[in-house]
Amino acid sequence: MINFIQQYGGQLLYKLWQHIYISGISLGLGILVAVPLGILLTRMKHGSGVIIEIASVLQTVPALALLAMMIPIFGIGALPAIVALFIYSLLPILRNTYLGIQGVDPSLKDAAKGMGMTNFQSIIKVELPMAVPVIMSGIRLSATYVIAWTALASYIGAGGLGDFIFNGLNLYRTDLILGGSIPVILLALLVDWLLGKLEVWLTPTTTSARA
Amino acid sequence: MFLEMKHLSKVYGGKKAVDDFNLDVKKGEFICFIGTSGSGKTTTMRMINRMLNPSSGSIKLEGKDVLKADPVKLRRRIGYVIQNVGLMPHMTIRDNITLVPKLLKWSDEKKNERAKEMIKMVELPEEYLDRYPSELSGGQQQRIGVVRALAADQDLILMDEPFGALDPITRESLQDFVQDLQQRLGKTVIFVTHDMDEALKLATRIVVMSHGKVIQVATPDEILRHPANEFVENLIGKDRLIQARPSITTVGQVMYNNAVSITPGRSLKEALKLMHEKRVDTLLVTDDSGILKGYVDIEQIDYNYNTATSVDDVMTRKVFYVYENSIIRDTVEKILKRGYKNVPVVDENKKLVGIVTRASLVDIVYDALWGEADTSTNEDSTKDNKGKDKVTSAKAGDGQA
């Protein structure tokens, strides 16, 4: 163990950083696109079902296949990996945002509109805060997926902790496989825990602290 | 006119949810829209603050065309209270109350002041301002819901079945609260309900709707006394019609059935004999089928006993009578004013059915003063007061026989 860290420590940190970088950007882009899109879908009378359906279909494409399909378009490296993982992160966030906003008590939306909030004010002040737990659970799900699949991105030359795992597989080196996979697991758990904290922080209080 | 709605219609997929709705509302009126579900009452209300856009027709608020106004600005001027309260669970009571003032960008100071004013109005301690809606009872929540609709000095308040989800006792106290606020602050209220008791209690005018059409627009009193048709009657309910009796007791209910009558062909001798037997000084004269023709009293018989032979010769043909179905409140005054000792009561065909004497009027007045002191009729007596100045029409007949 100590041996391993002494030998690969620097490389491990570098690959870990790559891993965080790739999954972070993919997830970040996913949130930036899927949350507004999800909100937009709730404002559409028709077509929201179709778009959710399309996102669901994309989700069923095998991860490795999707990564491979990116190569003709974007070549190899981090970019195709980020694009592919971004596509993967979309669906859980999109669907949960849509369902979360859709699930906000209709009387709250009615009251917000009826009292003279603009559509935007209603979203920002009422609907998003109310939908936070549902949206956040979508984001947490996506984060876990993306971190796990970023390991596969190594296959198309994106780098990341997947490099350790694939090297280990090629060389029959258990220490390399574990040295790559354990940090991925720890990273996923850590990110999920952090996002959980964020969720609590974002979820609005509905009782005063007296109790 | 404060609020004018003209030829308002709303069509959903070829079906008319609201069909040619017309109503003028004066400032300070409390209008109740009542009807079964699907009657278009809520749809109509929601067109006023543009939650729905009418398919055709016009709405004017203080002379300005609502349909040309910016809906967001319009809604900030109109209070809005809904059945499910719709308090924001993630905002404190203070923030909930001052939601519209905040949208209107009032200063913090002014908002805070208004919040304190409002919490006083609902008779809750000031520290409640920092609590959240879930920490209040249902009734308290809806009180906050009501004052939230007043907090930005809205003159017109729309209420959509606001108390439908509350238990009867809470509902009643909320009704009192709203009525008191409305009268004290002179707000104009449009109130949607399916509960006739509620409408009768609160409204200055009731709009009865069915299948998108207006069936009747009238004061609670008029609705009780002259329901436009069977639908309105059913909406009021037979029970309630009877309950409402103190204000709508008919002459038929208080008259004596044993009016003493005689036909014109009889002789004066026979008339005198009948008077003696029945111990009365006046006989009502009816024809063979019981139609009231006039009356004859002892003085006339005494005066003409030697010259005339039949009742027909001496009877007075001009007789004041009242209809069996007319409302006692409208007839008592006439009877008293004219100083008649007794008044015949007839049905629609002018057939004699009974008589009202001064003694029976004493009973009515006695009941009105003492009988109504018990609980069941308190509500009705207040209703009476409300309706009194508006009631002018009366069905009592007054003419020649």
Side-chain angles (χ1 to χ4, degrees):
Chain A
M1 173 90 177
I2 294 163
N3 241 348
F4 180 85
I5 290 172
Q6 271 173 351
Q7 199 179 346
Y8 297 103
Q11 214 187 340
L12 190 70
L13 276 181
Y14 176 65
K15 297 291 177 195
L16 181 66
W17 162 245
Q18 272 189 329
H19 204 103
I20 293 172
Y21 170 81
I22 293 169
S23 49
I25 289 185
S26 312
L27 184 68
L29 283 176
I31 295 171
L32 282 180
V33 172
V35 172
L37 189 62
I39 294 170
L40 198 68
L41 290 185
T42 63
R43 293 302 193 267
M44 286 168 60
K45 285 202 177 80
H46 312 285
S48 54
V50 177
I51 292 177
I52 297 264
E53 210 53 49
I54 291 171
S56 302
V57 169
L58 287 178
Q59 193 79 6
T60 61
V61 178
L64 202 56
L66 190 68
L67 284 167
M69 284 188 319
M70 290 300 140
I71 296 175
I73 309 168
F74 298 104
I76 56 165
L79 181 66
I82 288 173
V83 174
L85 292 169
F86 155 73
I87 290 172
Y88 264 108
S89 72
L90 283 179
L91 177 74
I93 305 174
L94 183 71
R95 190 165 49 193
N96 278 41
T97 304
Y98 177 75
L99 292 178
I101 300 276
Q102 203 76 320
V104 173
D105 183 351
S107 59
L108 292 186
K109 293 190 231 182
D110 189 54
K113 188 178 174 193
M115 280 186 302
M117 283 194 184
T118 60
N119 216 336
F120 184 71
Q121 283 169 328
S122 173
I123 289 167
I124 297 296
K125 291 186 176 181
V126 180
E127 295 171 54
L128 272 181
M130 289 287 103
V132 158
V134 185
I135 297 174
M136 280 307 291
S137 72
I139 291 176
R140 287 167 76 172
L141 192 65
S142 273
T144 314
Y145 282 166
V146 165
I147 289 168
W149 287 333
T150 300
L152 285 179
S154 147
Y155 210 74
I156 59 167
L161 290 163
D163 287 355
F164 273 93
I165 300 172
F166 283 110
N167 280 338
L169 285 172
N170 289 334
L171 303 170
Y172 294 106
R173 289 271 302 273
T174 318
D175 59 340
L176 287 182
I177 295 173
L178 289 178
S181 51
I182 290 173
V184 171
I185 294 167
L186 291 178
L187 181 64
L189 289 175
L190 178 72
V191 167
D192 190 56
W193 181 77
L194 286 175
L195 288 174
K197 287 278 166 201
L198 183 67
E199 179 183 329
V200 171
W201 184 71
L202 283 176
T203 304
T205 37
T206 54
T207 51
S208 45
R210 289 171 306 116
Chain B
M1 201 53 63
F2 183 65
L3 178 67
E4 287 173 71
M5 289 174 262
K6 283 204 172 63
H7 306 298
L8 217 51
S9 294
K10 178 73 184 173
V11 183
Y12 284 117
K15 195 177 157 281
K16 282 197 166 175
V18 176
D19 190 3
D20 195 28
F21 182 94
N22 292 284
L23 185 71
D24 284 349
V25 180
K26 286 196 269 304
K27 209 173 162 88
E29 277 199 280
F30 198 122
I31 306 283
C32 279
F33 290 179
I34 190 165
T36 48
S37 49
S39 60
K41 56 190 193 299
T42 300
T43 309
T44 307
M45 189 206 80
R46 286 169 72 87
M47 286 192 281
I48 298 171
N49 67 348
R50 299 277 303 275
M51 293 299 276
L52 295 169
N53 282 322
S55 306
S56 63
S58 73
I59 307 174
K60 279 185 181 167
L61 180 60
E62 292 179 309
K64 286 189 196 101
D65 190 347
V66 160
L67 302 177
K68 286 188 187 127
D70 173 6
V72 168
K73 281 190 188 139
L74 175 79
R75 289 179 200 133
R76 290 175 187 173
R77 284 179 52 211
I78 299 176
Y80 189 55
V81 184
I82 55 177
Q83 174 171 5
N84 298 321
V85 191
L87 290 185
M88 303 303 163
H90 59 301
M91 296 182 189
T92 59
I93 297 304
R94 184 195 313 275
D95 290 341
N96 267 294
I97 292 176
T98 57
L99 207 145
V100 184
K102 195 176 173 192
L103 294 173
L104 293 169
K105 303 202 164 54
W106 286 19
S107 69
D108 284 350
E109 207 176 308
K110 200 171 162 198
K111 275 190 294 186
N112 208 16
E113 206 171 287
R114 182 52 55 95
K116 283 182 183 164
E117 223 171 280
M118 289 293 147
I119 202 86
K120 207 172 282 166
M121 210 175 260
V122 297
E123 289 163 351
L124 286 174
E126 247 177 53
E127 55 263 29
Y128 271 60
L129 283 174
D130 295 315
R131 295 200 183 172
Y132 286 89
S134 66
E135 296 164 310
L136 268 59
S137 72
Q140 287 170 336
Q141 286 184 23
Q142 192 55 295
R143 276 169 195 260
I144 300 294
V146 171
V147 294
R148 180 177 65 173
L150 307 169
D153 299 320
Q154 295 94 330
D155 287 327
L156 174 63
I157 295 157
L158 308 180
M159 299 194 178
D160 186 6
E161 304 205 24
F163 312 138
L166 300 172
D167 65 89
I169 294 168
T170 313
R171 190 184 312 149
E172 205 169 314
S173 81
L174 261 291
Q175 288 166 350
D176 293 339
F177 172 67
V178 164
Q179 190 165 37
D180 176 59
L181 274 189
Q182 187 262 342
Q183 286 168 357
R184 209 145 38 96
L185 305 175
K187 304 284 183 187
T188 311
V189 177
I190 308 284
F191 190 105
V192 169
T193 181
H194 63 259
D195 178 355
M196 194 43 130
D197 278 325
E198 192 164 69
L200 290 171
K201 177 175 176 177
L202 294 173
T204 54
R205 272 198 297 160
I206 295 174
V207 178
V208 183
M209 294 183 72
S210 173
H211 298 292
K213 285 198 168 67
V214 174
I215 305 295
Q216 188 172 15
V217 181
T219 64
D221 215 65
E222 281 166 9
I223 293 254
L224 278 177
R225 290 186 305 130
H226 309 304
N229 57 21
E230 207 177 323
F231 174 79
V232 182
E233 261 170 47
N234 288 335
L235 208 59
I236 298 169
K238 289 275 180 284
D239 288 354
R240 224 177 272 108
L241 278 173
I242 294 164
Q243 245 177 35
R245 205 173 40 139
S247 62
I248 60 151
T249 307
T250 61
V251 171
Q253 284 168 293
V254 299
M255 70 183 185
Y256 293 118
N257 296 320
N258 52 351
V260 185
S261 64
I262 193 162
T263 48
R266 299 297 190 85
S267 71
L268 292 188
K269 199 177 165 189
E270 282 173 289
L272 200 57
K273 200 176 158 210
L274 189 62
M275 282 180 174
H276 181 69
E277 268 171 27
K278 301 283 182 182
R279 320 283 316 156
V280 294
D281 65 354
T282 310
L283 292 176
L284 295 168
V285 184
T286 63
D287 66 14
D288 292 333
S289 50
I291 306 291
L292 183 68
K293 291 295 179 190
Y295 70 92
V296 57
D297 66 19
I298 186 68
E299 277 165 35
Q300 287 163 317
I301 293 176
D302 185 35
Y303 194 72
N304 299 304
Y305 196 72
N306 295 321
T307 54
T309 50
S310 71
V311 170
D312 196 29
D313 297 336
V314 301
M315 66 185 264
T316 307
R317 286 164 209 278
K318 193 177 178 195
V319 57
F320 173 72
Y321 58 86
V322 293
Y323 286 107
E324 188 185 12
N325 300 331
S326 45
I327 307 300
I328 197 75
R329 179 149 42 78
D330 302 322
T331 42
V332 164
E333 213 187 358
K334 286 186 186 176
I335 296 171
L336 292 177
K337 223 184 252 169
R338 286 163 201 247
Y340 293 112
K341 281 177 291 199
N342 43 51
V343 178
V345 181
V346 297
D347 65 12
E348 310 84 64
N349 301 321
K350 268 194 80 185
K351 195 171 165 211
L352 182 71
V353 290
I355 190 161
V356 175
T357 66
R358 290 212 149 217
S360 43
L361 293 187
V362 169
D363 289 346
I364 295 161
V365 175
Y366 181 90
D367 280 345
L369 290 180
W370 306 103
E372 279 190 28
D374 44 4
T375 49
S376 67
T377 48
N378 271 345
E379 196 184 302
D380 293 306
S381 58
T382 55
K383 215 175 286 157
D384 283 359
N385 292 337
K386 205 196 284 174
K388 210 158 255 168
D389 41 351
K390 295 178 194 100
V391 176
T392 46
S393 72
K395 222 178 159 187
D398 171 6
Q400 279 188 277

